[in-house]
Every structure is written in structure tokens, then in C-alpha cells.
Amino acid sequence: MNRKCLTFVVVLLLCVTEVLAQSKICLYGKVVDEYETPVEFASIIVEKQGAFTMTGTGGKYSVTCSRADSLVVTCMMFGYRTKKFVVFASGAQDSLRFDMKIVTKSVMLGEAGITAMRKQTDLVQRIKSGYTRNMPSTTGNGVEEIIATQMGVSTHNELSSQYNVRGGSFDENCVYLNGVEVFRPMLIRSGQQEGLSIINSNMVADIDFSAGGFPARYGDRMSSVLDITYKHPEKFEASLAGSLMGADVYVGFGNQKFSMMNGLRYKTTEYLMGSTDTNGEYDPRFIDFQNYTSWSPTKHWTFDFIGNISDNKYNFEPHDRETKFGTMDSPMSFKVYFDGREKDVFRTYFSSFGITYKFNAQSSLQWLSSAFSTKEQETYDIRGEYWLNSAIGQEQLGVGSYLEHARNYLTAKVFSTALRFRTSINRHSIAAGMGIRSEKIKENSSEWEMRDSSGYSIPHSPDELQLIYNLRAKTSVNSTRFESYLQDNFRFNNNLGVFNLNGGVRLTHNSWNKETLLSPRASLGFIPSANDKFTFRFATGYYYQSPFYKELRDTVKVGSNTLVKLNRDIKSQRSIHFLLGMDYQFKGAGRPFRFSTEVYYKLLDNLIPYNINNLRVVYYGENLAKGHVAGIDFKLFGEFVPGADSWITLSLMSTKQKYKGMSLPLPTDQRYNLSLFFTDFFPGTDKWKMTLKAAFADGLPFGAPHSGIEKNNFRAPAYRRVDIGMSYRLLNNEDKHLSHNPIKNIWLGADMLNVLNINNVNSYYWITDITNTQYAVPNYLTGQRFNFRFLIEM
């Protein structure tokens, strides 16, 4: 009898559980504004039930409520009009997707609508990908050029897509593409050798960037993270663009289950290099092809693939060069006649494959694998005969010759695989992941330089011929890295306002130096209810940079030769971040603006000192220094002109490193940086558009080559550059009024690059005469150039 009663109770409980489960339904989806921009921190309320949630990253939400034939859902957010939606949920499904669109509160000014702005409560900012269209560009890498105009970011070379972030070197910036960390060639110098970056601007949907204080899900770099997400086209789209510096073709198509994008790009800097002091035969050719395919056969499964092939070649035969430099009181002229050539080849291959399984609207598990391969060759034999004269009276100050030789070869293969899990529980968004990465790198390099001044070899020895510089490297690396992370993002609100708390920890292990590291990180964002025009944020955390191949390279002297050895005892560099930021939204002349500021302090330890020789970052291969970086950044963003975003940034910074008892500035010690990105439409028409980019940045410390960072007693002149582009819309068929014409837009453009024709200094060539007097001859960057371009969109 007791057993029958127990059986009856169990069956009854199962029936009740089943009934309760059937009476519940999970609503999920995405909230966007009228421009299809995701809206984060919007409140989602199911009326008469008390079910509540807030949108998270990408405007996504999910809420579980009682089933009904129709549900009334309210969506509200600061700066947006509150809107109610009626959702019909009479079916038997246990979950239902419902996307919502809300409209920003606007103030009408003539015919232009002034809209609210997205609020940033963490240290990762979202940047619109559309800024790269019709922008004057010297590198062809539009995303990186936009990043270089953000707070705390700077660049000193219009030929390079690399950037410095708050005192860090190029190597301290982490880049992700659809969740996979990507790499760049290792022998390449930041300048004319650079080709196209892996990021194809035509394929980008979201650009997330952090200049510090980023969460635990991002990898092991000390300065910044750039996270790129590619789009999923749901219809046919295509574009064709061309200019005097290259061309690109893009084709994308798809539907709700399948999408594919293909991009082919070609770039040449021959036209730009023709404006430098060195005359010769420039033949730089950079080409890449990229494919992104995504397939979702069911609502649970998604398969993603990215493939990229890049072939970069730089051939150069210099003829002669004349550089005028000095002061008004002491002008000089440097004349060189060359013989020889340089031939560089950089071939890279990248692929990634991912499988995502969505358990439900709140939870998903993703497996990601990637492979990166590079084969690099840098070879040159260039001989120069030079004369250094005073421009007054043609007094000869020095005469001599030099010979530069290099046979540098490197191959690298990096494989990685990872599992990542995401789920949402009430107001918590939890993310976890673990992965392993294998690195195999081989280098066989030989380079040397001989100088002869007035018939004497420098350095001079009566017994033997000596070289001013020589280096030999025959090394290999075979290492494995393990990484894992766990983070929780908790959103809540009370009478004080809206809070966004993010906390996480990252665990890594490197087999090369047997080092295991734990990196805790946390941030807090706050929107006060008393005045929702303000947003405050704070972040702190440990950021380790595990040494990659270039940091491992140490040098030893064997006789008169310098040999490269790899340091197995090297430790990861460490940076402890403290950041405090604020946004204030306001209206000026009836238009929306946002003023932002961030103050930061980075405590640096176990630093691997480095110097910059001929545009290449050269590490010391040992943990020899410690230091700090402190600064403050300002940004004014808004519609200076109705309907067009513009911004201006100002950064002030101080860096110090303690090396061998000396207090020295970091090689990236840029004390001030001013950037401007301004767009404008001609009054009364959207056919004419102007885009202006300007940079005014402090010069960096430098010294004679191969002399050590303690000899960086000089500072280069400030980098000043203005580029302006004018675009004319020849055809506007976005509303499909020409129904039989597949073309949506045709743009024609003209750019003036380096409007002020300023001779910015790239690096210096040092001349030494027999009296050991040294002269720093500037290597100037590109001069003024006009560029013509077109863009056809379908």
C-alpha cells in the first residue's frame, strides 16, 4: 500500500512538473534602434507577470514568463522612446524569438533628426564600421586607421597600420577576428614593407576596442584589444572600389540560415613612395583573398569558416637620394648614390573553423580551431656612396660609403583549439573558456652593415676590417600554451541607478618557460538615476604578456660577431591597470554630443626593454626593467554637422622605466597627442561629403642605432599630418526607385594627402666621420599626394 502511494505521488509530481513546464515560455531576441544598432541595458518587462530582464552585449535578451495567447512586452531605455509590443505565443514551442526595434528620442533641427547616443558602462567601446567608407586612406586598412584616432591611441607613420596604445608597443595590442586571435608577420618592419591587414573592412559588422581594463575573456596583452566580428548578409550585396593605390572587390549573399562573403584586395604604395627623398624603382605589390561562410542548418547548430591567403611582395632598387635638413643657422645637404636592390616576400595563410551549439536562448557552447602559417623572406644588398655638405658654401663635412646586407628567413606555424561556453541566469551573463595553442617557429637570419668614412672603416682598427653591425640567428621554438578564463557580468538597478559589474579571472601556462599565471580583473559601470546624462566606469586588473618569439631573442658577443640565442628563463611582462572614466551627454546648438575622459595608471614590472632600429622593434631578451605609465585622455564626440559623426581626442601621458639604476622614458613616450576625425555634408544635399583626418603628436625618444636605450637622448620632431577627402554621390538608388538597376550607390572621390606638405620624420640615418662626429640625417615620410577613387555598391 505504501509503495502504491509513493508511486502515485511520484507520478503526480511528474505530471505537475510537466504542466508547469508547458505553462512557461522563454522569450529571446535582440533590441536595436532605427539604425539597426544594438541597444544595451534596455529594460524588458512582461506586463502583469513581473518578469524582467536587461539586454546585454549586442542588445541580446532572454526572459522566462508564463505562457499566454498574447503577451504585452515593454521595452524602455534612457534616451529612447518607451515602446510596448504584443507577442502572440499560442503555439506549443518552449521558446520564441522576438526582436524589437525602439526609436531614439529626437529633437528636430530643420530636416535633421538629432538622436540619443549609446551608453558605455564597461571599458570596451563599440565603433561603427561605416566610418571606413569614403575615408582618405594611405594604408588600405580602414579599421586600423579609425582605431588610431581613438582616445589613448597614436601613430607616427602613415605607411603603417600599427598603432601605440597608452605607452605600449605595437606588440602589446591583441587582435581578434570572430573570436580567434590573429597574428602578423614577424620580420616585417612598420612602414613600406607592410601590406594589407587581415581585417577586410567590407566584411566587418562590429568593431569593439579597449585601450585598457578589458575583461578576462580577452587574451594576454598589456595594452589593448581589438575585437572584430564579421557580418552575416541575408541578401545579395557587392561592391567594387579602386584608386591610385589599389582596388578591392566584395561579394556577399545569404539568408537566415546560410551566408557567404568573399573579398579580394590589391594594394600598392608605389605612388606614395614616389614622394619620398629616395628616388628609385619601387614595386610593392600586396594582394589577399578572404572567405567567410556561416551555416545554421537548425536553430541549435551553427558552422563558421574563415579562410585568408595573403601574398605581400616588396621590391626596391634605389637610385639616388638628396635630403636637406638642419637649422636656419646650419643647413645641411645629404646626397647618396645607390647600387643594389631589396627583395622581400611575406606569405601568410590563416583559417578558422567553429561549431556552435545553442542549448536554448540563454546558453551556447562553441568549439573553435584555427591555423596560422607564415613564410617570410627579407633580402637586400645595397651599397651607397654619400656626401654630407654644408648648404652654405658647400663645405664638405663628410664623405664615405656603406654596404648593407641581409639574408633573413623565417617560418612560423601556430595552431589553436578552444571551447567556450556562455549562459545567462537572471541578470548574470557568464562566460567561460579553455584552449591550447601550439607554436613552431624557425629563423635563419644573417645581416650586417659596413661603413667607410674618408677611406677608413668604422669602427676603425689597424689590424682587421670590422663591421659597424652584424647579427647571426639560427634558432627554433616549439612551445605550447594553455589558457582558460571565467567571467561574470552582472547588471542590476536600484534607486541610485543602473550598475554593470564585471569580474573574472584568467589562468595561463607557457611550456617554454614553465610559467603559470593568474590574472584577476574587474570593472564597474554606473548610470546615476539622478542624472542619466552621466556614465561612470572603473576598472582594474592584472595583465600579463607572455613572451612571444621576438621577446625571446637575446644576443651574445662571440668575438666580433653577435649571435642570437633564445632565453628559456624569461618571464612574462606584467601591467597592473587602474582606470577611471566618465561620459557626459549633452546638446550643443541643438545637436547631440558626448564628452568622455579617462584617467589611468599602469604599473609595469618584469619589462623586456626594447629599442627601435630602422623601424623594427628589437628586444633585449631579458627582464631588465620596471616602470609606469600615467595619463589622461579626452574625447568630444558628436554631430558637429547634422547627420555626420565627428570627434576630437586629446591625450596627455608620461612614461618611465628604471633600467640599470637609470630612469628613462619608454621608446613610446608620447607626451601629447591630438587627433581629429571630421565629416561634413554640403548644406541641403547628401551628394557631397567631406572627411578630414588630422594628427598632431609629440615626437618619440631616439638615439644612435645599436647603442642602447640609455643613449636615447634625443627626441624626434612632432608628427603633423592632415588628410582630406571629397566624395560625390553620382547615383543614389538605396530606395530602389530605379527598380531595374541593381546598383545602390556610385561614389566618386578625390583626396589630398598630407595637405600641408609637412616633412615628417620616419627614422634617422647616422653618419660618422673619422673624427667620430655623428650626424643624424632624417628619413622623411611621404609628401603631398592627390588620390582619385571610386566606389560602386550593389
Side-chain angles (χ1 to χ4, degrees), residues 67 77 89 100 104 122 142 183 205 214 225 238 241 276 414 445 486 531 554 593 610 639 696 748 783:
R67 184 185 300 275
M77 175 61 185
M100 291 178 272
T104 50
D122 58 13
F183 303 89
F214 40 91
V225 61
T276 62
V414 181
S445 297
L486 175 65
N531 189 343
D554 193 6
F593 290 90
Y610 65 90
E639 295 184 1
F696 180 41
L748 303 178

Side-chain angles (χ1 to χ4, degrees), residues 456-472:
Y456 293 89
S457 176
I458 302 295
H460 178 65
S461 171
D463 302 320
E464 61 180 349
L465 177 65
Q466 295 187 4
L467 302 174
I468 194 170
Y469 164 73
N470 75 95
L471 184 71
R472 184 75 175 90

